[in-house]
Amino acid sequence: KNEVEQSPQNLTAQEGEFITINCSYSVGISALHWLQQHPGGGIVSLFMLSSGKKKHGRLIATINIQEKHSSLHITASHPRDSAVYICAVGGETSGSRLTFGEGTQLTVNP
Amino acid sequence: DTEVTQTPKHLVMGMTNKKSLKCEQHMGHRAMYWYKQKAKKPPELMFVYSYEKLSINESVPSRFSPECPNSSLLNLHLHALQPEDSALYLCASSQIQGSHTIYFGEGSWLTVV
């Protein structure tokens, strides 16, 4: 069992739909990161969370420390949101070693 | 300026070549990282520099040699690579080593022939 599990692995949506990507982890963490990677390669850091909820534009990220679970929500999805979304956790004792999930491939069709 | 700039974007090299990947940031970050990413896999940490000193080496083969000439620059020197080293090499930085927002570059696509 991976330390960081994401679901679903693949997600196809129609433009405008509300999207949720889930991340569960099994280790103690100091922070959780949501990252976005487009086919060209570059990774963009969307959120870093240690508690509660953050919002940026159409993106919302939540974390429940007790349940070791985080969700990334995209409201009013758009084709340009199509990318791989990666959950990564920084452990309490791992310093800079981020443990990555396998990623969720999101495709938003017009 | 919240950019991490990597050059070159694409590199093709032979197994006997010596080449370098370069990474630059001007955010005043004191931690810089090299990651390797194979297709459809998550990134794997290779090296971490903290305050220009090598902090973490994830048992990377010596054919990969990192260098941090100053607080803004990070290089990865490549020599005698193997075809299986072909991957996307990502540079990243953060304010300090540990749990801070991490900024990634666009990556350098390396093909070893």
Side-chain angles (χ1 to χ4, degrees):
Chain A
K1 187 174 176 2
N2 291 336
E3 292 180 335
V4 181
E5 297 269 357
Q6 282 186 239
S7 63
Q9 286 187 329
N10 294 281
L11 180 56
T12 301
Q14 288 301 120
E15 185 173 356
E17 285 185 0
F18 181 84
I19 287 162
T20 296
I21 300 170
N22 295 300
C23 176
S24 296
Y25 53 91
S26 57
V27 296
I29 69 167
S30 53
L32 182 144
H33 303 255
W34 280 105
L35 310 168
Q36 180 193 56
Q37 187 169 32
H38 283 282
I43 291 178
V44 174
S45 179
L46 300 175
F47 296 103
M48 188 185 73
L49 294 163
S50 53
S51 65
K53 176 180 174 177
K54 287 190 176 179
K55 184 176 189 290
H56 182 68
R58 294 180 295 106
L59 302 177
I60 303 166
T62 63
I63 188 168
N64 184 318
I65 299 294
Q66 286 73 33
E67 295 185 4
K68 295 187 175 173
H69 181 268
S70 176
S71 293
L72 176 68
H73 305 286
I74 305 176
T75 62
S77 59
H78 190 277
R80 64 175 175 265
D81 297 326
S82 299
V84 175
Y85 291 83
I86 303 170
C87 172
V89 300
E92 288 175 326
T93 57
S94 64
S96 298
R97 290 181 181 86
L98 292 178
T99 302
F100 294 84
E102 292 290 316
T104 296
Q105 172 68 63
L106 171 65
T107 303
V108 181
N109 294 318
Chain B
D1 181 4
T2 56
E3 279 192 355
V4 175
T5 304
Q6 288 188 243
T7 56
K9 289 196 175 359
H10 298 272
L11 177 62
V12 179
M13 61 184 289
M15 290 188 282
T16 58
N17 290 160
K18 282 186 184 181
K19 297 285 185 184
S20 297
L21 304 180
K22 297 185 184 302
C23 175
E24 190 168 1
Q25 57 85 16
H26 296 287
M27 295 178 277
H29 289 174
R30 305 312 297 270
M32 295 185 77
Y33 313 81
W34 280 116
Y35 285 87
K36 174 183 177 180
Q37 187 178 24
K38 301 285 276 184
K40 298 193 186 298
K41 292 292 184 184
E44 299 171 5
L45 182 65
M46 300 175 72
F47 301 105
V48 180
Y49 271 82
S50 178
Y51 290 89
E52 296 97 70
K53 288 188 168 37
L54 184 63
S55 172
I56 295 173
N57 177 344
E58 290 288 320
S59 302
V60 179
S62 60
R63 57 186 184 269
F64 295 91
S65 175
E67 179 198 19
C68 190
N70 60 55
S71 60
S72 300
L73 293 174
L74 184 66
N75 298 321
L76 186 63
H77 302 298
L78 314 170
H79 175 54
L81 295 193
Q82 303 296 312
E84 58 264 29
D85 296 322
S86 299
L88 177 67
Y89 288 84
L90 290 158
C91 175
S93 71
S94 62
Q95 189 176 347
I96 58 172
Q97 183 175 341
S99 295
H100 283 73
T101 301
I102 187 164
Y103 295 82
F104 285 87
E106 291 287 315
S108 292
W109 292 94
L110 174 67
T111 303
V112 182
V113 297

